[in-house]
Amino acid sequence: MSISNSTIFMPSVLTLRGIPGLESVQCWIGIPFFVMYLVAIIGNSLLLIIIKTERSLHEPMYIFLGMLAVTDIALATSIVPKMLGVYWFHAQEINFDSCLLQMCLIHAFQGIESGILLAMALDRYVAICHPLRHSAIFTHQVVTQIGAAVTLRAAILVAPGFILIKFRFQFYHTTVISHSYCEHMAIVKLAAEDIRINKIYGLFVAFTVAGMDLTFITLSYVQIFITVFRLPQKEARLKAFNTCTAHICVFLQLYLLSFFSFFTHRFGSHIPPYIHILFSSFYLLVPPFLNPLVYGAKTKKIRIHLVKLLCS
């Protein structure tokens, strides 16, 4: 590929434009993002405190919920502070390596969150379909190993994307990213070289993580529903189903938002760019914001211990 004289060689600093077309109201747009971030940090921190201090919650389901809370805090923190800096203080410049780091963290935490939801679905499957074997299968050691495997999988899948950008691209059309944060394709599109490998790898990671996790989660819940509806007593069916409702809500909101975001980016060429940017930002921040609210409202044990904590 020929490189024109207008290209930039190995830029050290990039510029986050924020929301192109809505620069005049970005300071107001930052307010709901700040509120969501605040609720995400407080809500997930309360979940962690409750799970850590209450010995009755030291079960696989709640340990996975604690992992999810840590992931949500880390994901929101890797996005919002810099985003608000762009919106409120016009701190648009970001070091190139810092931008790549933010990209890796965002995609890695997304992969970890998806993996933890898969682990939670498998835990509910064993607890409802094979209750006598649950304590033997989901030991504390196995839960720790699952957490490590989910984290390692995310790191292994994200690392090549970092390498392909860092060591393949030398020339860039521009240093201005038309986005509020550093995202894989937003950085790749800046390059003045062949980006097909990066595009293919990005799609491969998305379909590997979402496709595999979504398939196994769906199969788990199909088996759970079959088992629940075979129970003879209505009370037993309701009790078994209630243990899954919070996870189903979290699972649905995460994957519905992700698929909607994916298809609007791929096939919504007529949609204004600021709609894409706003929706992608909400798509990343809604799960950390909603997860503690959903689990706090739907899980009786957490509600009871939350009231105790607040009263004390």
Side-chain angles (χ1 to χ4, degrees):
M1 178 181 286
S2 61
I3 304 298
S4 67
N5 293 329
S6 61
T7 57
I8 302 157
F9 178 75
M10 296 294 288
S12 59
V13 175
L14 299 177
T15 302
L16 289 167
R17 194 173 167 190
I19 308 175
L22 296 179
E23 289 89 349
S24 60
V25 293
Q26 282 184 165
C27 58
W28 300 107
I29 293 173
I31 294 173
F33 286 121
F34 174 72
V35 171
M36 291 171 68
Y37 178 62
L38 206 60
V39 172
I41 295 297
I42 295 172
N44 286 295
S45 297
L46 284 173
L47 273 180
L48 283 172
I49 292 168
I50 292 168
I51 292 168
K52 180 175 174 58
T53 55
E54 294 296 333
R55 295 188 63 83
S56 62
L57 299 181
H58 293 180
E59 301 173 8
M61 183 177 78
Y62 298 106
I63 294 172
F64 286 132
L65 179 55
M67 293 180 187
L68 188 66
V70 171
T71 304
D72 284 339
I73 291 172
L75 176 61
T77 302
S78 64
I79 299 169
V80 178
K82 182 59 184 176
M83 182 190 293
L84 294 180
V86 174
Y87 291 169
W88 288 350
F89 308 109
H90 305 290
Q92 296 176 312
E93 290 190 348
I94 184 171
N95 184 274
F96 185 83
D97 290 333
S98 299
C99 191
L100 290 183
L101 176 62
Q102 186 187 48
M103 176 199 78
C104 291
L105 290 175
I106 290 171
H107 294 306
F109 290 134
Q110 282 183 290
I112 293 170
E113 182 161 21
S114 180
I116 293 171
L117 289 178
L118 171 59
M120 294 172 80
L122 295 176
D123 170 70
R124 290 300 84 202
Y125 163 73
V126 176
I128 292 173
C129 300
H130 306 282
L132 299 179
R133 299 172 58 191
H134 182 262
S135 59
I137 294 173
F138 279 91
T139 63
H140 284 289
Q141 184 180 3
V142 169
V143 170
T144 304
Q145 290 172 348
I146 290 173
V150 165
T151 305
L152 186 62
R153 182 191 70 164
I156 290 172
L157 288 173
V158 167
F162 170 85
I163 293 169
L164 286 172
I165 294 174
K166 180 70 176 175
F167 299 105
R168 280 191 73 239
F169 298 148
Q170 293 184 324
F171 295 93
Y172 292 80
H173 290 299
T174 178
T175 60
V176 178
I177 299 176
S178 296
H179 215 302
S180 302
Y181 56 86
C182 295
E183 182 261 339
H184 178 255
M185 283 310 301
I187 301 174
V188 167
K189 287 177 181 178
L190 304 181
E193 302 172 58
D194 189 357
I195 63 172
R196 282 178 296 180
I197 294 175
N198 298 74
K199 282 185 173 182
I200 292 169
Y201 186 74
L203 288 172
F204 166 76
V205 171
F207 282 110
T208 298
V209 174
M212 184 176 73
D213 293 354
L214 185 59
T215 299
F216 284 112
I217 290 172
T218 303
L219 290 174
S220 297
Y221 273 102
V222 168
Q223 291 297 318
I224 288 170
F225 289 144
I226 291 172
T227 303
V228 167
F229 289 126
R230 283 177 179 171
L231 293 174
Q233 288 136 355
K234 183 179 179 182
E235 293 79 9
R237 290 199 298 269
L238 287 174
K239 184 178 179 181
F241 187 72
N242 281 337
T243 63
C244 302
T245 51
H247 183 261
I248 292 170
C249 292
V250 170
F251 155 70
L252 286 176
Q253 59 94 6
L254 175 67
Y255 284 102
L256 288 176
L257 282 171
S258 64
F259 279 113
F260 188 77
S261 178
F262 174 80
F263 285 114
T264 53
H265 273 285
R266 293 296 181 276
F267 306 110
S269 56
H270 61 286
I271 300 175
Y274 63 83
I275 298 294
H276 287 296
I277 294 170
L278 280 173
F279 190 84
S280 63
S281 300
F282 276 111
Y283 148 64
L284 287 176
L285 291 176
V286 163
F289 165 71
L290 280 184
N291 288 353
L293 301 179
V294 170
Y295 280 105
K298 293 289 185 181
T299 310
K300 185 177 180 181
K301 282 187 177 182
I302 291 177
R303 285 202 310 270
I304 292 170
H305 292 303
L306 177 61
V307 172
K308 285 182 182 178
L309 178 68
L310 295 177
C311 290
S312 63

